[in-house]
Amino acid sequence: MASYTKAAQQWATFGRAWYLLDAKMQPPGKIAAATVMRLEGKHKPIYHALNDCGDHVVIINTRHIAFSGNKWEQKVYSSHTGYPGGFKQVTATQLHLKDPTAIVKLTVYRMLPKNLQRRTMMQRLHLFPEDVIPEDIQKNLLQEIPQPRAVPKRLDEYTPEEIAAFPRVWTPPKDFRWK
Amino acid sequence: MVVLSAARWIRSRLTDRFWRKQEVLKYARHFRGRKNRCYKLAVRSVRRAFVKSTKARAEKKKFLRALWITRIGAASLEHGLKYPVFISNLVKSQVELNRKVLADLAIYEPKTFKSLAALAQRRRQEGFLAALGDGKEPEGIFSRIVRHHY
């Protein structure tokens, strides 16, 4: 029931929410795409660049992210210390071993828009290598973001009933041998 | 006896120079630096400001349309639809609401927007049934096209 007196009432529309995202067995690029949407505030119909409507995102299990392909060996993260001879190139594996949150942090940082709001949005991102979260952050959490990738189950994670119930195309005869 | 020629020997001097400069400076008062005070610098800045304001009118339309699209996309994702799906199915159902109105509805009339999203979803399902079915006319009522004769 809209009316002129009720037009200014906002309830908690401009409140900042805290979201949780589990990065276990997820590709860091898709994780970053989901978090960047929330950090910018583009998941809200009241979005505007000047509105400061971004939310907080807490990412857990960053140690267990999963690159597809051979990226653990082939992806290279480069940096320069500023001094001569200070060009450093590190593979994703080496960087991940040195700091388990660095890959997700760099991915999110590079996906955010390259403006002055980027640093503020990075301050609203909270990364944890395992699923241990401090109490005060845990109390703020509102909702969990669904995982971008459906994690497949290994054969030994299926129960025998599910394996038996799965339809078979053909059953080999008892004396069958692959050539 | 009227002497008309004497008046012509007095040369007239410019008396309203102050107000001529004020006409330009009044548009520069909110600028930064000396160009909000000094006429010679202000003339250049004011002219550039007017040119930029003229050219920005076309850009404003593009910017606002992009903003409406972002907002509509965000609101339709809350209801489980993506923006292209939502818009295409609304158009196919002959709902000719423009993006400005849809964005305002998404903010101020959430229940109305929810019903529009449900309409688009239903039309989408009817489209799938029509494509995957026998090729006969689809049974759903939302895919029927109404022709108005004015």
Side-chain angles (χ1 to χ4, degrees):
Chain A
M1 30 158 212
S3 73
Y4 286 110
T5 44
K6 297 262 175 67
Q9 181 154 63
Q10 296 169 5
W11 300 114
T13 314
F14 287 92
R16 225 171 272 159
W18 287 67
Y19 291 97
L20 178 69
L21 181 49
D22 194 354
K24 191 159 189 186
M25 295 294 283
Q26 304 294 311
K30 295 198 175 165
I31 290 281
T35 61
V36 158
M37 280 276 286
R38 309 272 160 170
L39 289 171
E40 288 176 319
K42 287 203 169 168
H43 62 294
K44 299 182 176 173
I46 49 160
Y47 168 78
H48 193 282
L50 303 172
N51 248 356
D52 191 17
C53 47
D55 289 332
H56 291 255
V57 178
V58 175
I59 306 185
I60 56 175
N61 284 326
T62 57
R63 186 173 271 136
H64 305 283
I65 49 170
F67 269 121
S68 55
N70 291 333
K71 285 184 215 157
W72 284 113
E73 280 78 37
Q74 290 175 344
K75 191 167 175 61
V76 165
Y77 287 89
S78 324
S79 60
H80 201 290
T81 58
Y83 291 95
F87 184 53
K88 297 203 191 309
Q89 281 183 302
V90 193
T91 55
T93 332
Q94 292 166 333
L95 183 64
H96 195 63
L97 288 168
K98 202 166 104 179
D99 178 10
T101 63
I103 290 186
V104 178
K105 186 168 176 191
L106 278 172
T107 320
V108 172
Y109 187 74
R110 290 169 183 178
M111 269 201 196
L112 285 170
K114 320 284 180 283
N115 54 21
L116 292 171
Q117 316 258 350
R118 186 161 60 155
R119 299 261 161 171
T120 323
M121 290 192 255
M122 282 303 285
Q123 291 203 324
R124 293 187 185 149
L125 172 69
H126 310 274
L127 297 166
F128 298 101
E130 309 290 346
D131 53 3
V132 174
I133 315 177
E135 271 262 2
D136 41 2
I137 294 185
Q138 208 167 18
K139 270 191 257 182
N140 290 339
L141 291 172
L142 170 69
Q143 204 186 8
E144 185 171 353
I145 308 175
Q147 291 192 312
R149 173 200 181 214
V151 181
K153 289 206 284 190
R154 285 195 312 266
L155 188 58
D156 52 346
E157 284 171 6
Y158 282 97
T159 59
E161 295 86 21
E162 280 175 321
I163 297 177
F166 202 84
R168 287 170 185 254
V169 179
W170 68 296
T171 43
K174 289 228 167 47
D175 54 350
F176 186 78
R177 261 193 314 167
W178 293 103
K179 278 238 187 94
Chain B
M1 191 174 69
V2 179
V3 181
L4 292 169
S5 52
R8 292 195 194 172
W9 292 348
I10 304 169
R11 292 178 58 201
S12 63
R13 299 170 67 225
L14 193 61
T15 49
D16 61 346
R17 194 170 279 120
F18 173 79
W19 292 280
R20 288 192 194 187
K21 290 193 176 180
Q22 282 302 308
E23 270 181 7
V24 169
L25 283 170
K26 76 181 181 216
Y27 293 110
R29 288 305 181 198
H30 64 280
F31 288 177
R32 197 188 211 203
R34 265 194 292 172
K35 50 188 193 277
N36 62 25
R37 300 184 285 284
C38 310
Y39 177 78
K40 277 183 153 179
L41 305 174
V43 166
R44 302 193 261 267
S45 292
V46 165
R47 176 171 274 261
R48 281 176 68 80
F50 285 162
V51 166
K52 288 183 180 183
S53 135
T54 309
K55 287 189 192 163
R57 274 179 220 130
E59 265 194 46
K60 180 178 177 179
K61 297 168 179 61
K62 281 171 41 175
F63 171 77
L64 278 178
R65 187 174 163 117
L67 182 66
W68 295 328
I69 290 175
T70 313
R71 289 183 167 178
I72 295 168
S76 59
L77 272 173
E78 284 180 354
H79 297 291
L81 284 174
K82 291 191 191 164
Y83 170 82
V85 168
F86 178 66
I87 291 282
S88 58
N89 288 108
L90 273 193
V91 164
K92 287 178 200 168
S93 316
Q94 291 182 294
V95 174
E96 306 284 352
L97 293 171
N98 61 2
R99 282 139 186 90
K100 177 170 90 170
V101 161
L102 283 172
D104 291 340
L105 285 178
I107 297 175
Y108 294 107
E109 314 285 343
K111 293 185 190 168
T112 313
F113 195 87
K114 183 174 181 178
S115 55
L116 284 171
L119 169 65
Q121 180 73 324
R122 171 69 190 271
R123 176 65 183 78
R124 189 184 192 211
Q125 299 306 321
E126 286 179 12
F128 291 155
L129 285 174
L132 302 168
D134 330 19
K136 291 186 293 196
E137 196 198 309
E139 294 174 4
I141 52 168
F142 289 102
S143 27
R144 220 171 285 163
I145 305 213
V146 182
R147 290 183 211 284
H148 301 284
H149 301 280
Y150 292 112

